[in-house]
Amino acid sequence: MRRRRFITASAAATVALALDIDETPMTGRLSMSDITHARERIDRLDAHFSAIGGESLLAVATAYLDRLTTAADHCTYGPRVEQAFHTAIAVLCSSAGWAADDAGNLDAAHQWRTTALQRAILGAGHRAQARAWSDLATHARRGGHHREALRISQTALASRGARQDPRYAALLQSRLAIGHARTGDHPAAARALLAAQTAHDRINPTEPAPRWLNFLTAAEISGLAAITQQAMGHLAYAETATTQALTFLEPGLRRSHAYYSVQLTELKIAQGNTAGARTTVAAIDTTKVSSQNSTGRLATVRRTLATA
């Protein structure tokens, strides 16, 4: 445990240095180039989150948010810069929400996600609004409020960001499918899964994705489909889809590898395949993963296997 904390703390220090937080102007007049630099720093933070998780990055994200909100209060800027500034802060609040989620602080995660939506609305950032709605749906689902999660997902899909970008549509339809499955509407879940795959197929691979969405590959679509299948009680299908996700995942996405490896172990246990579960769990390495969500679930499956 001490080794994992050392590694993630070192990662946070590296990110803080790379972000150059102290270079953000605190006085004077801001221009669009200042917003561009801020977005580049936020992109670097999101890249580290995708790689290792967000628990160790929460302090970095919140410190940078303090810096940006102080700059917003003390600097001058025109209407165009103001809107872009709100949108950049919204994106960073969404990142902080996931970092808090990985740290196990769901109250803080909800606060940051709500603030992200408010800032995105102020900035008229349609994609930032879609992301914030999507994150709030995930938060509701984590709290067991499945009908609320379903309604939020439907609201997110009606946003301009989802209508304009198939990446957002694919993610939101995948999460909508989970919501339908967990509220017992299996036909609607199947339709949402098909819509997610259709949207993903429409993605133009030559168009760069927002950095925070770099995890949304065919592997992630399979992994989210597995969660839907599991919620519908189709455990064999869920296991196949989870295995496919792990096969397609890029090596650098260690957080996702850990998450879906634990999911695969849970599915094997649920089907009575304790031997297969032990083989899977023995290969899981979370020493470079900074997410209590994954490490907590891993500890639970290990305890289950110890008594099986």
Side-chain angles (χ1 to χ4, degrees):
M1 180 62 74
R2 285 196 301 270
R3 180 172 179 268
R4 187 179 76 83
R5 286 177 178 168
F6 173 77
I7 289 171
T8 54
S10 298
T14 300
V15 176
L17 182 63
L19 285 174
D20 294 327
I21 288 175
D22 289 338
E23 290 189 3
T24 304
M26 300 297 289
T27 59
R29 187 168 181 83
L30 296 178
S31 67
M32 285 302 296
S33 64
D34 294 310
I35 307 303
T36 298
H37 291 321
R39 290 302 299 263
E40 289 170 350
R41 295 178 180 112
I42 296 168
D43 281 350
R44 288 198 290 271
L45 182 68
D46 283 339
H48 280 269
F49 173 82
S50 295
I52 67 172
E55 181 182 353
S56 64
L57 306 181
L58 179 57
V60 180
T62 54
Y64 195 35
L65 274 166
D66 286 343
R67 183 82 183 183
L68 291 184
T69 53
T70 300
D73 289 338
H74 291 87
C75 294
T76 60
Y77 34 79
R80 179 167 170 259
V81 171
E82 181 180 14
Q83 277 199 330
F85 207 174
H86 280 304
T87 300
I89 291 175
V91 172
L92 184 53
C93 284
S94 291
S95 301
W98 277 105
D101 193 299
D102 270 359
N105 190 339
L106 296 186
D107 288 340
H110 186 264
Q111 177 185 342
W112 288 123
R113 286 162 173 164
T114 301
T115 304
L117 180 59
Q118 293 169 345
R119 289 284 187 168
I121 292 171
L122 289 173
H126 304 299
R127 287 176 172 81
Q129 288 179 47
R131 179 185 182 184
W133 279 120
S134 175
D135 289 349
L136 285 168
T138 299
H139 186 89
R141 189 172 72 244
R142 285 283 306 278
H145 307 298
H146 300 304
R147 292 201 179 278
E148 179 185 351
L150 183 63
R151 295 292 176 259
I152 294 173
S153 293
Q154 290 168 332
T155 299
L157 276 164
S159 68
R160 186 185 300 181
R163 296 196 304 270
Q164 290 179 338
D165 193 325
R167 288 186 174 88
Y168 286 79
L171 177 62
L172 291 167
Q173 288 286 2
S174 294
R175 290 178 173 168
L176 180 66
I178 297 170
H180 281 308
R182 291 187 173 172
T183 54
D185 192 342
H186 294 184
R191 289 193 297 271
L193 282 181
L194 179 60
Q197 186 60 63
T198 301
H200 191 264
D201 289 344
R202 289 194 291 111
I203 293 173
N204 183 349
T206 64
E207 294 181 0
R211 183 62 63 90
W212 76 271
L213 262 178
N214 67 351
F215 71 95
L216 190 66
T217 61
E220 184 70 13
I221 296 298
S222 293
L224 293 171
I227 296 172
T228 302
Q229 296 288 358
Q230 182 179 17
M232 291 192 292
H234 304 157
L235 301 186
Y237 287 127
E239 181 178 350
T240 298
T242 304
T243 301
Q244 182 174 318
L246 287 166
T247 300
F248 291 159
L249 268 175
E250 299 174 10
L253 297 177
R254 295 190 293 272
R255 179 183 183 275
S256 295
H257 270 280
Y259 184 93
Y260 286 121
S261 294
V262 173
Q263 180 169 296
L264 182 59
T265 306
E266 292 169 339
L267 287 164
K268 289 181 182 295
I269 291 173
Q271 295 174 90
N273 184 5
T274 54
R278 288 192 174 96
T279 300
T280 300
V281 81
I284 299 176
D285 180 11
T286 59
T287 56
K288 294 183 179 180
V289 175
S290 181
S291 171
Q292 284 190 26
N293 187 16
S294 293
T295 56
R297 288 171 61 200
L298 179 58
T300 298
V301 297
R302 282 175 171 162
R303 286 194 297 271
T304 300
L305 289 171
T307 58

